[in-house]
Amino acid sequence: MKIQHYCYTRAKFLDYCVFSEPDNLPKYASREIQAKALSIMDALDSKLNIPKWILVKTHDYIFWGMCCLNRILSDECNCDYSGTSVSGMFAIVITEYSENEVQLPYDIEYFRKLYEQEVSMFWDQNETHKNTTNGFISGDFNFIRSSHNNYCESLNTDVFKCKSLGGYDKEKVVAMALTLDNVSLLIDNDNIEQATNRSGSFMNCLTSSVGIGLYSVKQQCPKCKKYVSSFTEAGICEDCKKSEEAEIRRRASEEDKKDKQIRYELEEAKSRIEILESEVESSRCQINSKNRLIKILWIICGILLLLCMWLYKHSDIEISSVFSENQLSSFRKNVSKEKTSSYFIKVNSENVEISPAGDENLTVEWKTNCKKVNANLSDVDWANIEKMTGDSVVICVKRNDSKNQRIAILTISSPECGEKQVELYQKQIL
């Protein structure tokens, strides 16, 4: 059990000084205790020449002390700088306690000793000091110990009620109160207003000045700071509870909307992903198809290239290896507006057969194996040399009006082949 002391003085309208305070008293507890003390000392009709005893018991601490004029506890150090008497609250604070060891000094002499040690010695100082008196003050004082008695059903623990106990036995009421978990008690109050003051009300009061009765008390809502007649299970007023519930519903609605929006966006994203996957798959198939087509085209190009290379390499092979003797290989190139036909003729025979042309004019090219050829044509009126280019001779053949077979002699000479004659003849047109 840890025992410390708390001393606070006050002039008529202003705080004089908090002389000492425990080093571990929570701020909320200090505020609550001062509020209860001020509710007594600020009363206009308060007769502080008679000490008012205060008990506050919670799970965390026990506060027990007296509010009175300082001159009751000390013949000196009891006025402010103007000579006005001051009052104060002088108390013992118990923490870290167990119920069976709790006892309280119910003796003015105890608090006179406390005043001497914690107030008089520091009267001329302007700063609050930490409590220096730890443990009970030694001396022959009257103590009240916690004990159960027949006042068990008489004490009130509802913070929204104040029960006046009239002229009950004070020491037995205090002893019984020390066994309860949460209780407050004001002894020797001058009137009920001192016990029910909204800034620092008590659950119980014990005085012959007020008859037995139960009075309603308002408490300040910790959230909205309004004084109300009841709290919800959450420890706030009904209006704050409704506001919280409305806020919870609003947030739940917003969260639901957000969830729906997120789900919608997820569905949209999934749909887009599926579309993209389909497009990717389609593009992949197209690419694969194009790749296959490109491969096929490359193969075809390779084959054509090889064929061209083979044809170029074997362009001078004699036609006799492909055609029988005297056969003609001709390729039609174009037909002019004058209905002339052009033939490319290459044979290994000394004789060149010109296909029947009917009523058409022909242009025949005869290609030799010799380079830089020079050619002469026998004196005929139906054929003449049109052009000589390197290894070929181009001959123009007029249309065969007689439809009979016609023959002409073509003389060809070149430096490397010498001179030779080729017979040109045109078959009879049937």
Side-chain angles (χ1 to χ4, degrees):
M1 186 167 62
K2 188 172 183 179
I3 301 170
Q4 293 180 298
H5 296 83
Y6 185 91
C7 296
Y8 166 78
T9 60
R10 180 175 173 81
K12 188 171 181 58
F13 299 107
L14 298 174
D15 287 346
Y16 187 74
C17 184
V18 176
F19 275 90
S20 68
E21 60 182 355
D23 57 7
N24 63 341
L25 185 65
K27 288 185 177 180
Y28 79 91
S30 180
R31 288 194 299 267
E32 181 181 359
I33 291 166
Q34 283 193 25
K36 291 186 181 304
L38 290 174
S39 69
I40 299 168
M41 290 189 287
D42 283 351
L44 296 176
D45 55 352
S46 180
K47 302 178 181 62
L48 292 178
N49 57 326
I50 299 175
K52 313 300 191 240
W53 295 89
I54 295 174
L55 171 65
V56 178
K57 182 174 184 289
T58 69
H59 294 287
D60 300 324
Y61 66 91
I62 298 174
F63 183 89
W64 167 255
M66 56 187 294
C67 290
C68 64
L69 292 172
N70 288 28
R71 61 181 171 81
I72 293 177
L73 302 179
S74 175
D75 295 333
E76 300 177 353
C77 306
N78 54 33
C79 297
D80 62 13
Y81 61 90
S82 65
T84 304
S85 294
V86 294
S87 58
M89 177 178 63
F90 311 96
I92 181 172
V93 179
I94 301 175
T95 56
E96 302 174 16
Y97 63 89
S98 60
E99 183 180 320
N100 57 2
E101 62 180 352
V102 174
Q103 60 177 355
L104 299 176
Y106 187 38
D107 195 324
I108 291 179
E109 292 301 321
Y110 181 95
F111 291 95
R112 286 192 176 123
K113 281 280 189 181
L114 173 64
Y115 194 96
E116 180 183 337
Q117 296 179 17
E118 293 292 335
V119 179
S120 296
M121 291 179 60
F122 302 94
W123 188 254
D124 295 327
Q125 295 185 7
N126 294 322
E127 295 182 359
T128 301
H129 68 274
K130 291 297 182 182
N131 169 77
T132 60
T133 305
N134 294 311
F136 288 119
I137 299 172
S138 60
D140 186 15
F141 306 116
N142 178 45
F143 279 84
I144 300 175
R145 296 180 182 277
S146 64
S147 64
H148 293 270
N149 53 54
N150 56 354
Y151 290 119
C152 177
E153 300 296 330
S154 300
L155 289 168
N156 167 57
T157 56
D158 184 354
V159 295
F160 291 97
K161 303 292 182 181
C162 178
K163 189 172 184 179
S164 175
L165 303 174
Y168 285 5
D169 187 304
K170 297 175 184 177
E171 292 193 17
K172 286 186 177 181
V173 170
V174 173
M176 184 64 223
L178 289 176
T179 65
L180 302 177
D181 292 333
N182 185 32
V183 68
S184 61
L185 173 66
L186 174 60
I187 299 176
D188 291 333
N189 51 303
D190 299 321
N191 48 56
I192 192 60
E193 285 75 18
Q194 290 177 353
T196 58
N197 189 309
R198 65 169 52 183
S199 61
S201 60
F202 293 83
M203 298 178 195
N204 302 275
C205 66
L206 183 60
T207 178
S208 58
S209 300
V210 180
I212 296 175
L214 191 64
Y215 300 86
S216 296
V217 174
K218 290 189 176 182
Q219 299 289 343
Q220 190 178 45
C221 174
K223 187 171 183 180
C224 68
K225 306 304 180 184
K226 294 179 181 179
Y227 285 91
V228 295
S229 300
S230 64
F231 286 157
T232 62
E233 293 180 358
I236 57 177
C237 68
E238 189 66 27
D239 290 341
C240 289
K241 178 184 177 182
K242 291 179 180 178
S243 297
E244 283 190 351
E245 290 175 348
E247 181 65 16
I248 291 171
R249 288 193 297 270
R250 185 187 66 80
R251 290 181 180 178
S253 177
E254 288 183 354
E255 291 296 326
D256 185 56
K257 289 180 181 178
K258 289 181 180 178
D259 289 342
K260 288 181 179 179
Q261 180 65 24
I262 291 172
R263 287 195 295 271
Y264 174 77
E265 291 176 354
L266 285 175
E267 291 299 324
E268 285 285 307
K270 288 180 181 179
S271 178
R272 288 196 296 270
I273 289 172
E274 290 176 357
I275 293 172
L276 290 174
E277 287 178 346
S278 176
E279 291 177 352
V280 168
E281 185 62 28
S282 177
S283 298
R284 184 183 292 114
C285 293
Q286 291 179 4
I287 290 172
N288 291 337
S289 177
K290 288 180 180 179
N291 289 339
R292 286 194 296 270
L293 181 60
I294 290 171
K295 288 180 181 178
I296 293 171
L297 291 175
W298 274 110
I299 292 172
I300 293 173
C301 289
I303 293 173
L304 291 175
L305 180 61
L306 292 174
L307 180 60
C308 290
M309 290 174 65
W310 186 87
L311 291 174
Y312 175 78
K313 184 177 180 181
H314 297 82
S315 60
D316 292 335
I317 296 178
E318 293 181 346
I319 297 301
S320 58
S321 62
V322 181
F323 300 101
S324 61
E325 188 174 357
N326 295 329
Q327 281 186 323
L328 179 66
S329 175
S330 63
F331 303 89
R332 187 176 188 91
K333 294 176 72 175
N334 56 59
V335 179
S336 69
K337 292 181 180 179
E338 292 80 11
K339 296 185 179 181
T340 59
S341 298
S342 175
Y343 290 85
F344 174 81
I345 304 170
K346 180 179 179 181
V347 295
N348 65 331
S349 173
E350 293 300 327
N351 297 325
V352 177
E353 179 182 349
I354 302 171
S355 299
D359 58 355
E360 291 182 334
N361 292 335
L362 301 176
T363 299
V364 179
E365 181 180 10
W366 187 67
K367 193 174 184 68
T368 72
N369 291 328
C370 302
K371 307 297 181 185
K372 298 181 180 180
V373 297
N374 189 19
N376 291 309
L377 190 61
S378 60
D379 188 13
V380 293
D381 59 356
W382 55 272
N384 63 285
I385 296 175
E386 187 174 272
K387 182 170 63 175
M388 291 180 291
T389 56
D391 60 352
S392 64
V393 179
V394 178
I395 301 169
C396 181
V397 181
K398 296 180 182 180
R399 65 185 183 186
N400 190 357
D401 294 330
S402 65
K403 303 187 184 299
N404 296 322
Q405 179 174 295
R406 298 186 294 192
I407 298 174
I409 302 299
L410 176 66
T411 303
I412 296 175
S413 62
S414 70
E416 60 182 46
C417 296
E419 183 179 290
K420 58 182 178 180
Q421 290 184 338
V422 178
E423 185 181 80
L424 300 179
Y425 66 95
Q426 186 178 43
K427 288 183 177 181
Q428 183 178 1
I429 297 174
L430 300 176

